[in-house]
Amino acid sequence: RYIPQSPDLLLQGFAEKHLLLQGALDDLKAISAQPSMRPKIRIFEGISGVAHVYEEMLKSSGVQFFGSLKDINKYFSSIAAKFPRHPTLHVQDILTDNPIDRRYASEATAPHYEARFLPSLFDVSIDCAIYGNSVAILSVRKELFAAVIESEDVANSLRTLHRVAWKALVPVEKEG
């Protein structure tokens, strides 16, 4: 058999929790005032979201890519065309060895654009970019989204991996 409790007990319980929270408030404020040591992760979806991330890269001083144009060109050919023609942006592009990527690299006119090719047995279905303290992983084949991780440690670690791959690959000679 159930007997109802007095509604005053609810109020008393809330008052006790309020006092506990008030006692911890100074500690909670101190924690929230500390700079976050965690990376900032942003997710962008759809054509406009992915395009926003590519435009963000164009505002940086340099970008290191791992990717392929064969899927990027389906939605982002006009944005992709800006990278090898940008007058001041330093780009190091590790591309897959296919005719679309070869043509893209050979038509580059910017003095700060460099490309190297992965052996033809490798297929890259995402685009990965390292710029500033950010790393962007862009899905452009089936799903259209970009995940941007803002972290100095993550960016520097991937930049090191890019540098290792870069040194192992043969430079592309510019035509003309």
Side-chain angles (χ1 to χ4, degrees), residues 45-116:
E45 296 180 312
I47 292 172
S48 63
V50 174
H52 172 81
V53 175
Y54 280 121
E55 293 290 347
E56 188 177 271
M57 290 175 209
L58 286 164
K59 295 174 186 170
S60 69
S61 61
V63 185
Q64 291 87 33
F65 283 107
F66 292 98
S68 174
L69 273 290
K70 66 181 187 242
D71 296 314
I72 294 169
N73 275 344
K74 184 174 180 182
Y75 300 104
F76 308 105
S77 61
S78 63
I79 296 172
K82 294 177 183 180
F83 287 92
R85 291 172 175 76
H86 196 287
T88 59
L89 183 67
H90 186 259
V91 177
Q92 288 184 323
D93 219 344
I94 295 177
L95 298 165
T96 58
D97 194 358
N98 67 65
I100 294 168
D101 289 3
R102 286 229 171 244
R103 184 174 54 249
Y104 178 83
S106 71
E107 294 174 354
T109 58
H112 304 292
Y113 178 85
E114 301 173 86
R116 297 190 181 183

Side-chain angles (χ1 to χ4, degrees), residues 4 14 17 22 32 39-40 54 59 65 82 87 138 141 155:
F14 284 127
K17 289 180 179 156
Q22 208 159 15
S32 68
K40 181 178 177 185
Y54 280 121
K59 295 174 186 170
F65 283 107
K82 294 177 183 180
L138 303 107
R141 185 175 281 178

